[in-house]
Amino acid sequence: MRKNTRSLALYLALSLLCLGRAFAQPPTDSLNGKTIHIYFESDNFSTFYFQNGDIALKSDSKYNYSITLTGIGLYTQDFFFTSNGTAPEGEHYKWKFGKTGLNASDEGRLKVSDFQGHKEMWIVVDPSGPVTAPPLILFEAPKTVNILNPWPTTAPKILYGTKTRAMTTTPGRCGWFTSLILDPTLTKLHFSEVNDADTYGAGGFGSPTDIDIGALFTAKGGNLWLNTESNTWGAVWPNVDGDCQYLMAATVRDFSSGHPDFDFPGLQGDFLLKGMVQPTIGPNRHPVRSAAASKPPVTFDKFDSWWVTDSTNATPSLRSYESCTDIPMSKSSDGLWEYDSYRDSPLDH
């Protein structure tokens, strides 16, 4: 009887050992339940996919995407992302995106160990660099600073220590500029006009005194708005807008069909000549012709007549016709004023 008891005990021990191996539990730190956020500031890429089955990430807001992973088998996987995109030529591509950045061939795979034990990961492409640069991997949401541009004709930038950081226009907010704060050690900063012509600090306009941005983040949260009209900070947009557009007065000139400086014989279609004027205007505030404007196949011999109106020029073929128009200038993403004829063309009338 004692012998049978020993045999039964040995059998049970071996059985339990085998069962333990057959039903081994996955590691406690797996991809299951993890949330991934992507911040990618580009209008050429509108959707990102998790590589396992091309699962589309949710679009949380402009440039912000996220996905929460579920599934017991996820602990065995590394991962990367794919994205749809459009090249400047209009051709559609599918790009791979991971630790090495946006790339048509390199996946830059991430692993569960890249979470470093955290439940959430933010993969951030710095807007001040190229979209193909390796992204930053953060474990808390990146903080942002927004400022109502105190210099409407140009744009602001951030100064901290000896470093600078570019700002871009805040989507949907006229006159506002934004920047991600990606350096966790950045606790003090002030602003400067992009050409270093002026500063804005703790004392408002003209102040170079740093602002304690770390204390403001602690008090108000990770998304700050500076209303420069009242020099006040808030956690939400203060319902104040700046300028989205201004009208630039311009003089438009047209010329007689018989003018000798236009429609050169033998030249078909449009003709572009770069460098035909000198860098500075003349004493009469008109452009000054350069040597390049008198080289075959074109010779602008009557250049000075371009600026003489029909009422003062007695020679009919040399007359120019002058009119005035307002050109609507809008802010580009880097905050400078621009005119885009494809978007709005007041010169057609």
Side-chain angles (χ1 to χ4, degrees), residues 264 267-274 276 292 295-300:
F264 290 96
L267 285 180
Q268 301 295 322
D270 296 333
F271 181 79
L272 176 65
L273 178 63
K274 296 182 178 180
M276 65 178 294
K295 291 182 178 180
V298 297
T299 302
F300 296 104

Side-chain angles (χ1 to χ4, degrees), residues 182-214:
L182 301 176
D183 183 351
T185 66
L186 197 165
T187 58
K188 296 183 183 298
L189 58 80
H190 66 281
F191 302 91
S192 171
E193 188 268 340
V194 289
N195 298 311
D196 298 315
D198 198 5
T199 57
Y200 192 103
F205 287 100
S207 171
T209 305
D210 275 342
I211 300 159
D212 190 345
I213 203 75

Side-chain angles (χ1 to χ4, degrees), residues 7 62 67 70 74 127 133 142 145 155 186 198 224 244 248 254 262 313 323 331-333 345:
S7 300
K62 190 171 185 180
I67 187 172
T70 56
L74 285 168
V145 169
L186 197 165
D198 198 5
L224 297 175
C244 272
M248 184 178 71
D254 200 359
F262 298 90
N313 197 326
S323 61
K331 285 282 188 180
S332 60
S333 62
S345 184

Side-chain angles (χ1 to χ4, degrees), residues 9-24:
L10 181 59
Y11 172 78
L12 290 172
L14 290 172
S15 298
L16 289 171
L17 181 61
C18 292
L19 285 171
R21 290 176 178 172
F23 296 100

Side-chain angles (χ1 to χ4, degrees), residues 246-263:
Y246 86 92
L247 299 177
M248 184 178 71
T251 300
V252 180
R253 300 179 186 274
D254 200 359
F255 302 89
S256 166
S257 60
H259 197 293
D261 282 356
F262 298 90
D263 295 326

Side-chain angles (χ1 to χ4, degrees), residues 32-322:
N32 187 30
K34 303 286 192 187
T35 297
I36 301 169
H37 307 266
I38 292 178
Y39 182 88
F40 194 93
E41 191 171 310
S42 174
D43 293 325
N44 289 329
F45 301 91
S46 59
T47 307
F48 284 87
Y49 304 90
F50 186 68
Q51 125 274 351
N52 182 18
D54 275 354
I55 304 170
L57 273 70
K58 180 179 67 172
S59 178
D60 297 317
S61 62
K62 190 171 185 180
Y63 308 136
N64 285 280
Y65 312 86
S66 68
I67 187 172
T68 298
L69 303 172
T70 56
I72 196 68
L74 285 168
Y75 74 92
T76 61
Q77 294 184 4
D78 53 12
F79 62 96
F80 62 97
F81 304 92
T82 57
S83 176
N84 65 330
T86 304
E89 298 80 9
E91 186 176 353
H92 288 271
Y93 288 92
K94 200 161 193 179
W95 298 81
K96 295 176 181 178
F97 177 58
K99 285 197 291 188
T100 55
L102 188 72
N103 196 302
S105 58
D106 187 3
E107 297 168 350
R109 289 174 178 260
L110 294 100
K111 298 181 179 180
V112 65
S113 58
D114 289 309
F115 280 88
Q116 299 182 19
H118 295 85
K119 287 290 187 181
E120 292 186 87
M121 170 191 290
W122 280 261
I123 303 174
V124 180
V125 177
D126 190 341
S128 64
V131 296
T132 53
L136 282 79
I137 296 179
L138 307 174
F139 302 109
E140 63 178 29
K143 297 177 174 63
T144 59
V145 169
N146 301 273
I147 180 174
L148 180 60
N149 185 14
W151 304 288
T153 57
T154 57
K157 65 182 178 181
I158 288 176
L159 297 181
Y160 58 107
T162 59
K163 300 178 181 179
T164 64
R165 181 165 180 81
M167 304 191 76
T168 58
T169 52
T170 303
R173 301 295 183 211
C174 289
W176 287 87
F177 281 72
T178 188
S179 178
L180 294 175
I181 304 301
L182 301 176
D183 183 351
T185 66
L186 197 165
T187 58
K188 296 183 183 298
L189 58 80
H190 66 281
F191 302 91
S192 171
E193 188 268 340
V194 289
N195 298 311
D196 298 315
D198 198 5
T199 57
Y200 192 103
F205 287 100
S207 171
T209 305
D210 275 342
I211 300 159
D212 190 345
I213 203 75
L216 286 167
F217 281 132
T218 300
K220 299 181 182 295
N223 191 21
L224 297 175
W225 298 79
L226 171 57
N227 181 0
T228 53
E229 291 185 356
S230 58
N231 194 27
T232 55
W233 290 86
V236 295
W237 175 59
N239 201 30
V240 176
D241 268 331
D243 296 326
C244 272
Q245 184 184 84
Y246 86 92
L247 299 177
M248 184 178 71
T251 300
V252 180
R253 300 179 186 274
D254 200 359
F255 302 89
S256 166
S257 60
H259 197 293
D261 282 356
F262 298 90
D263 295 326
F264 290 96
L267 285 180
Q268 301 295 322
D270 296 333
F271 181 79
L272 176 65
L273 178 63
K274 296 182 178 180
M276 65 178 294
V277 296
Q278 295 182 17
T280 56
I281 59 175
N284 58 359
R285 300 186 63 80
H286 291 162
V288 179
R289 183 179 65 169
S290 70
S294 296
K295 291 182 178 180
V298 297
T299 302
F300 296 104
D301 289 333
K302 304 298 182 181
F303 183 81
D304 291 338
S305 73
W306 293 17
W307 322 108
V308 180
T309 62
D310 56 345
S311 61
T312 58
N313 197 326
T315 306
S317 64
L318 298 182
R319 290 178 181 174
S320 66
Y321 302 89
E322 181 180 287

